C-alpha cells in the first residue's frame, strides 16, 4: 500500500480536524499540537499527516507533495485554489472575513463618496479584488498580526480580517462594517493524484464527507 499524505496546519484547524480524523479511524498516534515532528503517523494504515504553515497547504497539495490537504477558505482565496479539487466543505474553523472600522468612522459614506481608503490586512489579494469590484480606490498596508491597532493609531482607516466571536474587535473599540465572505475549512485534493489514484483517494474523500456531516 502506498502512503497518502494529508497536509494541514496547527492551531484551530488541527484541533477541529482531530475529531474528524477519529471518525474515519485516522487519529494521530501522538499529540499533533505539541509534537515537534512534521510528519505524523495515524491509526489508519497508509495515511499520514504533514504539518505545514496554513498558507503553504495549497502549495504542498498543488505540487503533489501531499495528496490531500485541509485549508481554510481564506487561504484558498488568498494564496490560490486553482488546480485544486475542493470536494468537501468540512464545516470546521468557521468564521467570517469582514471589513472593520473604529467606532465613529462613517464607512458607508466614505465608500459612497469614493474616498481613497487605507486598509490594513494580510489578505491583500482578496481585499484588492473586493474593493475593485465596488469601484473603491484603496491603499493597502500589509500586516501579519495585531491588525486592530492600525485604525487606533491612524495607520489605516479600516482593516480586513477574520472574525469569529468579535471579542477582540470589541475590546479595541472596533466593529464590523461589512462582511466579505463566510469562511470554513475545506478538504482539498491534488487533481493529478485523483486521476491516477482514484481507487485509493475517493474512499477517503467519501469518509471525510460523511464525518463532516455528523
Amino acid at each position: 500500500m502506498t502512503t497518502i499524505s494529508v497536509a494541514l496546519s496547527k492551531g484551530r484547524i488541527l484541533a477541529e480536524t482531530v475529531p474528524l480524523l477519529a471518525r474515519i479511524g485516522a487519529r494521530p498516534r501522538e499529540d499533533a499540537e505539541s509534537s515537534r515532528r512534521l510528519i505524523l503517523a495515524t491509526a489508519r494504515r497508509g495515511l499520514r499527516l504533514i504539518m505545514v504553515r496554513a498558507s503553504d497547504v495549497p502549495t504542498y497539495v498543488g505540487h503533489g507533495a501531499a495528496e490531500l490537504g485541509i485549508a481554510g477558505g481564506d487561504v484558498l482565496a488568498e494564496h490560490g485554489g486553482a488546480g485544486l479539487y475542493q470536494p468537501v466543505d468540512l464545516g470546521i474553523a468557521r468564521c467570517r472575513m469582514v471589513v472593520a472600522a473604529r467606532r465613529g468612522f462613517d464607512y458607508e459614506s466614505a465608500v459612497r463618496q469614493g474616498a481613497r481608503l487605507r486598509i490594513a490586512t494580510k489578505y491583500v489579494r482578496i481585499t484588492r479584488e473586493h474593493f475593485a469590484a465596488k469601484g473603491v480606490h484603496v491603499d493597502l498596508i500589509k500586516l501579519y498580526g495585531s491588525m486592530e491597532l492600525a485604525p487606533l493609531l491612524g495607520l489605516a482607516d479600516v482593516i480586513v480580517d477574520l472574525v469569529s466571536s468579535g471579542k477582540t474587535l470589541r475590546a479595541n473599540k472596533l466593529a464590523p462594517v461589512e462582511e466579505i465572505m463566510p469562511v470554513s475549512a475545506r478538504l482539498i485534493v491534488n487533481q493529478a493524484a485523483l486521476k491516477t489514484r482514484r481507487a485509493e483517494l475517493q474512499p477517503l474523500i467519501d469518509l471525510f464527507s460523511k464525518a463532516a456531516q455528523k
Side-chain angles (χ1 to χ4, degrees), residues 3-188:
T3 300
I4 294 173
S5 300
V6 181
L8 72 161
S9 57
K10 291 188 177 183
R12 183 181 176 188
I13 283 183
L14 174 60
E16 296 188 26
T17 297
V18 168
L20 295 180
L21 292 170
R23 290 174 199 161
I24 68 172
R27 183 183 290 276
R29 291 193 177 278
E30 57 187 292
D31 184 346
E33 191 64 53
S34 62
S35 176
R36 291 186 177 274
R37 298 178 189 271
L38 300 179
I39 300 178
L40 302 175
T42 73
R44 188 178 185 89
R45 184 171 172 236
L47 186 69
R48 66 182 183 179
L49 306 180
I50 298 178
M51 309 309 303
V52 303
R53 187 185 177 104
S55 58
D56 291 337
V57 172
T59 302
Y60 276 84
V61 178
H63 287 272
E67 290 75 24
L68 306 175
I70 296 174
D74 58 315
V75 170
L76 294 170
E78 179 69 18
H79 298 284
L84 296 172
Y85 181 41
Q86 302 180 36
V88 183
D89 184 339
L90 296 170
I92 61 174
R94 289 188 180 279
C95 53
R96 299 173 295 144
M97 184 174 293
V98 303
V99 182
R102 66 186 182 279
R103 294 171 189 169
F105 180 77
D106 193 345
Y107 172 74
E108 291 187 4
S109 178
V111 170
R112 187 170 55 251
Q113 294 174 12
R116 192 175 189 93
L117 290 174
R118 295 171 301 150
I119 305 176
T121 186
K122 67 178 179 180
Y123 298 105
V124 172
R125 177 179 178 180
I126 293 171
T127 302
R128 182 181 291 114
E129 291 178 354
H130 175 75
F131 283 94
K134 296 163 70 75
V136 176
H137 297 288
V138 298
D139 290 324
L140 298 181
I141 302 166
K142 193 164 188 178
L143 294 178
Y144 292 96
S146 301
M147 217 78 65
E148 296 81 6
L149 281 172
L152 301 180
L153 300 179
L155 180 63
D157 300 311
V158 299
I159 65 173
V160 169
D161 203 5
L162 296 182
V163 172
S164 181
S165 67
K167 290 181 180 178
T168 303
L169 288 180
R170 291 193 293 274
N172 290 283
K173 299 182 179 180
L174 303 180
V177 291
E178 182 181 5
E179 180 172 323
I180 294 179
M181 64 179 181
V183 173
S184 58
R186 296 177 176 274
L187 181 70
I188 60 175

